[in-house]
Amino acid sequence: MQTLGFSTHLCDLYGDKFDPAITKREVRGFDTDDPLTRRYRDLLASAEVLVIVHPNCWGSPPAMMKGWMDRVFAEGSAYAFEKSGDQGDVPKGLLQTKVALVFNTSNTDEERERVVFGDPLERIWKDCLLRYCGVQNVIRRVFRIIATSSDAVRRGWLDEVHRIVFKAVKDVIHP
């Protein structure tokens, strides 16, 4: 993306020692006291393209990612309510992100994921979080089956990720 004029920021939640536990202040809708959470919120607010990568853990993001979602996609940062508080009304998305790319890994067959489980990650990312916060263009790709994949298959997946990201970024530049 840098070759197309975008600056990139890697947020390694584990490497950054992010605390996924939402605070009492944050649950009540007050701003965070945590500098790292504030930094992540600022990065999210400025993102034209958002790339999210995580495994499927029992039909949901892993706990670390879920904590990031709870703390970073916060009221006042990623969405707001017309009445300045949640009174059951429809939120207004605040994010200016033009496209979000969500890459998941899974050990569940695609048909089984869709038919038996209803692909909960699709609903979580597209409808319950990103579109809720104003991101209308969401592209999601699941790479499966991880447990039996070869090095060559995984290299192919990485090449595919590169192509998807490159095309999405070019589309942001030249819609």
Side-chain angles (χ1 to χ4, degrees):
M1 292 199 318
Q2 291 170 331
T3 60
L4 295 173
F6 280 79
S7 60
T8 59
H9 303 276
L10 173 66
C11 296
D12 177 349
L13 303 180
Y14 295 96
D16 291 347
K17 297 184 179 13
F18 177 70
D19 182 355
I22 193 166
T23 66
K24 289 179 186 179
R25 261 183 78 72
E26 293 166 353
V27 167
R28 292 184 177 137
F30 294 107
D31 198 10
T32 183
D33 291 331
D34 179 44
L36 183 57
T37 300
R38 187 171 288 119
R39 178 176 171 264
Y40 286 166
R41 287 180 183 180
D42 291 345
L43 286 171
L44 179 64
S46 68
E48 291 183 80
V49 177
L50 178 63
V51 179
I52 297 164
V53 180
H54 71 80
N56 178 344
C57 294
W58 296 105
S60 67
M64 178 66 87
M65 177 65 68
K66 178 61 170 88
W68 177 82
M69 294 161 67
D70 291 343
R71 296 188 74 196
V72 174
F73 285 80
E75 183 178 354
S77 294
Y79 67 94
F81 293 102
E82 294 293 330
K83 298 173 187 163
S84 300
D86 187 358
Q87 298 178 20
D89 51 335
V90 176
K92 174 186 175 194
L94 300 178
L95 297 182
Q96 302 301 310
T97 305
K98 294 177 176 57
V99 62
L101 306 161
V102 180
F103 298 107
N104 300 128
T105 57
S106 178
N107 280 323
T108 305
D109 176 81
E110 183 176 4
E111 183 176 350
R112 183 167 188 255
E113 183 75 45
R114 192 174 21 79
V115 173
V116 176
F117 303 115
D119 197 356
L121 283 174
E122 178 86 3
R123 296 275 300 145
I124 289 169
W125 282 111
K126 284 189 176 179
D127 301 324
C128 299
L129 188 71
L130 292 167
R131 289 186 180 143
Y132 188 93
C133 295
V135 182
Q136 297 306 308
N137 187 3
V138 180
I139 299 167
R140 181 166 166 264
R141 174 71 169 91
V142 182
F143 298 98
R144 56 181 102 225
I145 300 290
I146 297 300
T148 58
S149 63
S150 66
D151 287 343
V153 167
R154 290 190 296 275
R155 279 191 298 276
W157 290 339
L158 290 173
D159 290 343
E160 185 177 347
V161 165
H162 183 267
R163 286 190 302 275
I164 292 169
V165 170
F166 191 80
K167 181 182 182 326
V169 171
K170 279 182 62 174
D171 289 349
V172 165
I173 296 170
H174 305 290

